[in-house]
Amino acid sequence: MSNHGPLPVHSFDAVPDCRRCDRPGRLHASFPHSWKNQKDKDVPGTRAFVLCPNCDAQDPDATELLSLLAVCGSVTPENIAAFADLADDWVEALRLRLPDLAVLVAEEDLWQRGEL
């Protein structure tokens, strides 16, 4: 487990539907993220992800976390340490992934049309 920067925020309350398949999400995580603009200045922002039992079932960074949630149903005092480790590993893997430009273009199109 790595710890880079501020801790991610994990939420089980009001988890949005998965944007990829429109099915219910299982966990929502968001974390600070920044990038350099054309003037080489940091632009702060936030990245957010929904853990989806359908779309992330084959993602090696998500399978153990999905399994824990499927078997246990929720986070309990007995599994909170395992959950924390798996959730932090999942978020760390997400931090290292570059955004999919096709997804960004599609989301921008939805935003331009007022649908996002």
Side-chain angles (χ1 to χ4, degrees), residues 16-79:
D17 289 343
C18 176
R19 289 187 184 168
R20 296 166 286 176
C21 69
D22 292 325
R23 293 182 183 173
R26 191 68 177 94
L27 175 68
H28 180 256
S30 61
F31 52 87
H33 173 74
S34 66
W35 60 94
K36 299 279 187 191
N37 65 16
Q38 291 178 343
K39 295 181 181 181
D40 201 37
K41 295 192 179 206
D42 283 330
V43 178
T46 302
R47 289 183 75 186
F49 293 89
V50 172
L51 180 66
C52 175
N54 183 55
C55 296
D56 295 321
Q58 301 303 314
D59 181 344
D61 297 313
T63 53
E64 287 185 66
L65 180 56
L66 284 169
S67 294
L68 181 140
L69 294 171
V71 169
C72 298
S74 65
V75 177
T76 65
E78 293 78 26
N79 67 19

Side-chain angles (χ1 to χ4, degrees), residues 98-106:
L98 296 175
D100 182 331
L101 292 179
V103 171
L104 288 176
V105 168

